[in-house]
Amino acid sequence: MPPRVDREKCDGCNAQQEPLCEQVCPGDLMALGPDKKAYCRARRDCWDCMSCTKVCPVGAIETRIPYQLGYHVAKLIPMMGTDSITWTCIDIHGNVERFRYKNRIEPE
Amino acid sequence: MSRKTITDINEVETQEIEADILIVGGGNAGCFAAIEAKKLNPALRVAIMEKAHISRSGATAAGMDAINTYIPDGRTPEDLVRWSRSQVGGGPIREDLALSNAQELNEAVEDLERWGLPILRDEDGIAQYRGKWDVSIHGEQLKPIMAEKAIESGADVYNRVVATGLLMDRDRCVGATGFGVRDGKFYVFRAKATIVSTGGACGLYKSYTSDATSSHHQTWMSPFNVGTGYAVGIREGAEMTSLEQRWVATRTKDHCGPVDTISVGYKSSIINAKGERILEKHYAHLGGDKAPRYIRANAPMEEWLAGRGPTYADTTDLSPEDAKDLKMDYLNERPSFVLFLASRGQDITKEPIEIYGSDPYVVGGHCQSGYWVGIDRMTTVPGLFAAGESAGGTPNKFVGGCAVEGKLAARGAAKYVASVTLPGLNADQVAKEKERVFAPLLRGPEFDGISPVEMEERMQRLMDEYAGGISQFYRTNEERLDYALKHLKMLANQSQYLYAKDLHDLMNAHEVLDRLVVAEVLTHHLKFRKETRWPGWQTRSDFPDVDPNLDCFVESRLNKQTGEVEMFTRPYEQLVPGDRYTP
């Protein structure tokens, strides 16, 4: 059932013609509803690539594992920096793991 | 963005674009093709037609954790070809193509590094190898980096345009058509040369997680890569090669994450339910845990079949630091696998990772399915070039090899462009294609028909059960293939009942139509190879052994007059000396 949009946090990217999640989704799955909030038009078709989750500027999108495959409720939260990414992972027992690494180097 | 609703074909605006080189598919190979073409001649008009958005599209949308081929000091391009040949059981492979890719491989990988891709290197600048040829990267930004360079090159990028067909001037390709999934326009790209560089075909077969879960796309290959690049050429009679060599891989069970990262990269042995190291036990003579890829894919399924499943990658020897590094690799390539482990509450240092087979894919990057091309990467259709997943004959290209092939196709196309002129537009052809493309949408909301999802699911079950899918442990036989072909024809005839409720749905409708074309040709290839050459990738239960007479390429071509797929062979030529079966 990925992805899940937090309707409180989502601001539809305000003035943007398309919200960023709609711009990047490789499956054309994300769209802006009449209420100017993002939604996924076919959650079964999501590849879990997390492009939408990573690009959301307000952290409103969460990728979820379908319940038939994994238990409630684990979280994986990406924070994008200019040349690095930080991931916070919380498992179903509440254990927290963080990963931070460079995802870009200075171009020559 | 608000999307158009269309009720009449006359409402559909046609946009015509003229280019010297049209690139269909702005993925890895497509981006490199654009950059190379503009580098060769900045005056060339280069257009990229991309179904998604090139910053996050195709097979590398999520990122990548390794460059699987990068030639270390002391090794040669010929060594890489020997290894690649041994990975497909001694060939046949197109050694001319493989060698030309290998010769420029490192430079293409270093291009990526120069553009900002972190390749993990030690203090002396030596790349960190985790196998003989694989180097670790932090490739979360791989696709955005390539895309930025393609845009900077000056190529015109048309995002969200779904390719539907080739423009033809008699037998010559003079561009392609598509439709805008956001703006509803019909796009006509007229081009002196066209490079097809789309992804391979995922979703021909049912993924085992798609029944009774909310995740139909728990696949390893991008599910949005549907084989359109192959289908457009097949419809115009292009020769295809080796489609029967399907990419089937051992993947993490229920999530379909890459297992070679674990078993080869972190040396976690593949074991069965009894804890036996199955590759070391049965395939030590072929390299054990590093045995050729089809062996590694098939062996765990043999265990399940023999009643010794489940199977695992035994990570219980990993240190906590290694386990963290392993997860970091996944975060770069298949991030939701880390979430998946968390959703199982699983500590991989205490509990091994369960593995299972994937659904089969048709790809020209890992395996060698695709267009038969010349050394300039021109297909058998003049004016039509292929690179990356679309081009056949060269397995184990991966990221670097697809990049090189994009460059080589651009060089071939640039040379060809200089020798031809662009003919006038064939208005009849364009009108017919436009009508075909929009027909499912124009059938209206009251139409009693079939949705794209229904047709897709019917096709996927058919392929899975009759053409050697995962539910059948990849096995098939003559009778099942005949049954599959009969019903694929019926499905193709049912396309008259296909309806789409909006433009997104119209994209899905064309995706299933394209998949049907590839599925039919694939099934003919499986039927022709009356032997078992690559168990798992291609298993004929009625012909369980290798037939020395089929040590050749299996080829197909659609006869446009009869509508029948014609099969033939081409000989294998060994160019790189050495024993074919060892790296």
Side-chain angles (χ1 to χ4, degrees):
Chain A
M1 46 185 195
R4 188 171 181 267
V5 179
D6 184 325
R7 304 181 67 76
E8 292 296 315
K9 285 187 188 168
C10 176
D11 60 4
C13 290
N14 291 323
Q16 300 266 6
Q17 191 186 17
E18 295 177 346
L20 291 169
C21 57
E22 183 176 358
Q23 278 183 43
V24 299
C25 174
D28 187 45
L29 302 177
M30 299 304 292
L32 206 57
D35 60 353
K36 304 289 180 198
K37 306 274 182 188
Y39 73 100
C40 179
R41 71 173 78 242
R43 292 194 301 180
R44 55 153 251 165
D45 286 351
C46 175
W47 189 35
D48 300 342
C49 72
M50 296 189 69
S51 297
C52 61
T53 310
K54 286 189 277 195
V55 82
C56 179
V58 295
I61 305 178
E62 187 186 333
T63 296
R64 285 267 178 107
I65 298 295
Y67 186 72
Q68 297 92 338
L69 303 178
Y71 304 113
H72 197 69
V73 55
K75 286 188 188 299
L76 179 64
I77 305 155
M79 283 277 287
M80 300 296 286
T82 49
D83 64 353
S84 67
I85 183 167
T86 305
W87 299 85
T88 303
C89 184
I90 308 161
D91 78 5
I92 50 170
H93 307 305
N95 298 316
V96 179
E97 254 189 312
R98 274 204 181 79
F99 305 83
R100 183 174 186 278
Y101 55 86
K102 272 194 179 293
N103 55 2
R104 292 250 187 181
I105 52 171
E106 193 65 31
E108 279 181 15
Chain B
M1 179 182 186
S2 64
R3 302 187 186 207
K4 282 185 78 97
T5 30
I6 294 160
T7 52
D8 184 327
I9 192 81
N10 296 314
E11 293 170 17
V12 179
E13 183 187 335
T14 298
Q15 184 169 343
E16 201 179 306
I17 295 129
E18 204 180 298
D20 293 303
I21 299 176
L22 168 67
I23 296 165
V24 183
N28 182 350
C31 285
F32 270 85
I35 296 160
E36 181 70 8
K38 294 298 279 187
K39 198 165 123 190
L40 286 169
N41 180 1
L44 282 176
R45 294 165 303 169
V46 177
I48 299 176
M49 176 172 16
E50 164 60 50
K51 182 165 79 169
H53 188 287
I54 67 164
S55 69
R56 288 284 185 189
S57 62
T60 56
M64 202 57 67
D65 71 348
I67 297 285
N68 295 104
T69 46
Y70 183 62
I71 303 173
D73 282 347
R75 305 300 293 272
T76 64
E78 283 78 7
D79 290 336
L80 182 62
V81 175
R82 280 186 201 98
W83 170 81
S84 182
R85 185 171 64 195
S86 73
Q87 288 292 302
V88 288
I93 68 167
R94 282 285 300 279
E95 299 190 11
D96 55 340
L97 304 177
L99 197 55
S100 64
N101 275 4
Q103 281 158 349
E104 296 192 38
L105 175 67
N106 282 21
E107 193 190 327
V109 174
E110 285 152 21
D111 279 343
L112 286 167
E113 191 175 28
R114 281 188 281 273
W115 300 340
L117 175 74
I119 295 179
L120 305 191
R121 293 180 181 275
D122 65 19
E123 300 107 42
D124 300 323
I126 309 293
Q128 284 181 21
Y129 279 85
R130 61 184 206 196
K132 274 186 182 153
W133 305 99
D134 307 57
V135 291
S136 293
I137 61 173
H138 281 170
E140 187 276 323
Q141 288 281 304
L142 179 68
K143 190 71 223 292
I145 287 170
M146 287 181 198
E148 284 161 16
K149 289 292 161 184
I151 294 164
E152 269 176 36
S153 77
D156 296 316
V157 181
Y158 293 84
N159 287 314
R160 303 291 173 191
V161 180
V162 181
T164 60
L166 299 179
L167 273 183
M168 299 298 289
D169 179 43
R170 289 187 289 275
D171 292 334
R172 177 186 152 202
C173 175
V174 290
T177 55
F179 72 92
V181 70
R182 298 281 169 82
D183 62 19
K185 288 184 193 171
F186 185 59
Y187 285 83
V188 178
F189 291 90
R190 300 172 62 223
K192 290 179 188 166
T194 302
I195 300 172
V196 175
S197 51
T198 60
C202 175
L204 304 178
Y205 288 83
K206 184 167 76 69
S207 142
Y208 66 86
T209 58
S210 66
D211 285 344
T213 77
S214 323
S215 192
H216 195 77
H217 282 166
Q218 204 60 266
T219 58
W220 168 75
M221 170 61 110
S222 167
F224 315 118
N225 291 359
V226 302
T228 296
Y230 304 130
V232 293
I234 291 169
R235 288 196 201 101
E236 299 303 337
E239 179 180 335
M240 307 304 284
T241 187
S242 309
L243 260 65
E244 75 284 6
Q245 191 190 86
R246 305 170 306 168
W247 174 242
V248 162
T250 301
R251 304 284 90 167
T252 53
K253 189 164 181 296
D254 294 346
H255 186 273
C256 219
V259 165
D260 291 349
T261 303
I262 315 168
S263 64
V264 177
Y266 288 84
K267 300 182 177 52
S268 298
S269 280
I270 304 296
I271 58 170
N272 63 15
K274 309 290 177 199
E276 296 165 320
R277 297 175 63 178
I278 56 181
L279 286 155
E280 298 299 333
K281 187 173 176 183
H282 301 297
Y283 299 100
H285 62 294
L286 293 175
D289 279 314
K290 290 180 186 167
R293 287 168 188 266
Y294 67 93
I295 302 277
R296 297 207 302 266
N298 194 48
M301 302 318 288
E302 294 282 346
E303 295 301 304
W304 275 87
L305 199 55
R308 293 188 296 267
T311 48
Y312 304 92
D314 186 7
T315 49
T316 55
D317 287 338
L318 288 182
S319 66
E321 294 74 30
D322 281 346
K324 188 152 188 177
D325 282 349
L326 173 54
K327 287 186 194 173
M328 202 129 83
D329 281 341
Y330 270 95
L331 288 171
N332 276 291
E333 177 164 334
R334 192 93 168 94
S336 54
F337 181 67
V338 176
L339 177 63
F340 173 75
L341 289 176
S343 75
R344 296 283 180 107
Q346 186 174 347
D347 176 350
I348 60 171
T349 65
K350 298 196 173 83
E351 195 182 337
I353 295 173
E354 194 178 353
I355 60 175
Y356 202 69
S358 71
D359 47 318
Y361 312 102
V362 172
V363 287
H366 284 64
C367 282
Q368 60 189 65
S369 309
Y371 287 90
W372 181 266
V373 292
I375 195 75
D376 58 357
R377 272 52 178 187
M378 186 146 87
T379 69
T380 57
V381 174
L384 181 67
F385 295 76
E389 297 280 19
S390 302
T394 328
N396 305 307
K397 281 188 289 219
F398 313 122
V399 172
C402 287
V404 176
E405 201 158 50
K407 288 185 176 192
L408 296 173
R411 286 177 213 162
K415 198 171 169 197
Y416 175 81
V417 159
S419 68
V420 294
T421 53
L422 198 54
L425 193 62
N426 181 336
D428 272 1
Q429 190 190 131
V430 170
K432 271 191 193 140
E433 177 66 357
K434 189 173 175 179
E435 204 172 301
R436 181 188 80 87
V437 167
F438 286 91
L441 190 59
L442 298 175
R443 289 186 180 125
E446 302 304 316
F447 183 76
D448 179 14
I450 308 153
S451 72
V453 168
E454 287 174 316
M455 189 175 275
E456 180 187 288
E457 290 184 340
R458 170 71 186 127
M459 174 198 65
Q460 288 175 343
R461 286 198 57 200
L462 183 64
M463 294 299 287
D464 179 56
E465 290 164 12
Y466 296 91
I470 179 70
S471 78
Q472 302 303 312
F473 294 89
Y474 308 123
R475 286 154 174 75
T476 184
N477 62 23
E478 194 76 2
E479 293 77 15
R480 289 196 217 175
L481 292 168
D482 284 336
Y483 181 93
L485 283 171
K486 179 183 164 189
H487 286 270
L488 286 169
K489 280 277 184 212
M490 288 169 76
L491 277 171
N493 288 332
Q494 296 250 304
S495 63
Q496 61 184 308
Y497 302 119
L498 200 57
Y499 71 88
K501 58 184 189 303
D502 55 27
L503 286 165
H504 177 82
D505 221 25
L506 184 64
M507 177 178 77
N508 290 159
H510 284 284
E511 287 177 337
V512 68
L513 292 175
D514 290 348
R515 281 173 166 138
L516 280 174
V517 169
V518 181
E520 185 190 355
V521 177
L522 162 64
T523 307
H524 279 287
H525 275 255
L526 288 167
K527 194 166 143 66
F528 192 89
R529 202 172 267 289
K530 295 186 190 336
E531 62 163 354
T532 298
R533 184 158 290 263
W534 309 286
W537 289 358
Q538 178 267 336
T539 304
R540 287 287 304 255
S541 44
D542 45 355
F543 297 97
D545 303 314
V546 169
D547 178 353
N549 295 315
L550 284 167
D551 184 15
C552 56
F553 298 100
V554 169
E555 307 289 296
S556 60
R557 190 188 295 119
L558 179 77
N559 182 323
K560 287 173 76 178
Q561 271 71 48
T562 64
E564 296 302 316
V565 178
E566 295 169 350
M567 303 303 300
F568 54 105
T569 62
R570 283 199 189 244
Y572 159 64
E573 286 178 62
Q574 181 174 357
L575 302 177
V576 176
D579 175 30
R580 288 171 55 186
Y581 303 95
T582 52

